[in-house]
Amino acid sequence: VRRAERDRAAGDSRAALAALAEHRRRYPTGQLTPEVEGTRALLLCEDGDARGPALGRRYLARHADAVLAVAVRRACLHRAP
C-alpha cells in the first residue's frame, strides 16, 4: 500500500494500481483492505475512469468515517461531468 501511495504521489497511477492489485492478490482479506479499496477508488476517479465513482460510493457506504473518505468523496463524488 505504501508503494501505491508513493506511485500516486509521483503521478504514476498505473504503477499505483498495479501495486494495489498485487496487495489484493497477496492479502485478499488483510487488515489494509479498506485502504486498498479507498486508494483504488481514489486513483480511478482522479484518472477519470468510469468505474471510479461507483467504487467510491461503495467505499464510502462501508467506510464513511475512514481517513481516506474525505479524499474519495472529493475525487469521486464532487467532480464535474
Side-chain angles (χ1 to χ4, degrees):
V1 176
R2 283 192 197 122
R3 189 173 95 204
E5 291 169 350
R6 280 194 304 267
D7 291 337
R8 178 178 171 255
D12 192 348
S13 60
R14 177 180 237 155
L17 288 167
L20 294 174
E22 175 62 22
H23 187 278
R24 284 178 27 211
R25 277 191 291 278
R26 293 179 71 190
Y27 310 103
T29 58
Q31 282 186 307
L32 296 178
T33 297
E35 286 79 4
V36 171
E37 291 173 357
T39 303
R40 183 169 182 255
L42 181 60
L43 284 162
L44 292 173
C45 288
E46 288 175 341
D47 282 351
D49 188 298
R51 299 171 293 173
L55 289 174
R57 284 189 298 276
R58 189 169 35 230
Y59 172 79
L60 292 169
R62 293 182 197 146
H63 310 289
D65 296 328
V67 173
L68 278 175
V70 171
V72 171
R73 196 173 289 111
R74 186 178 307 125
C76 297
L77 304 183
H78 298 297
R79 287 216 172 237

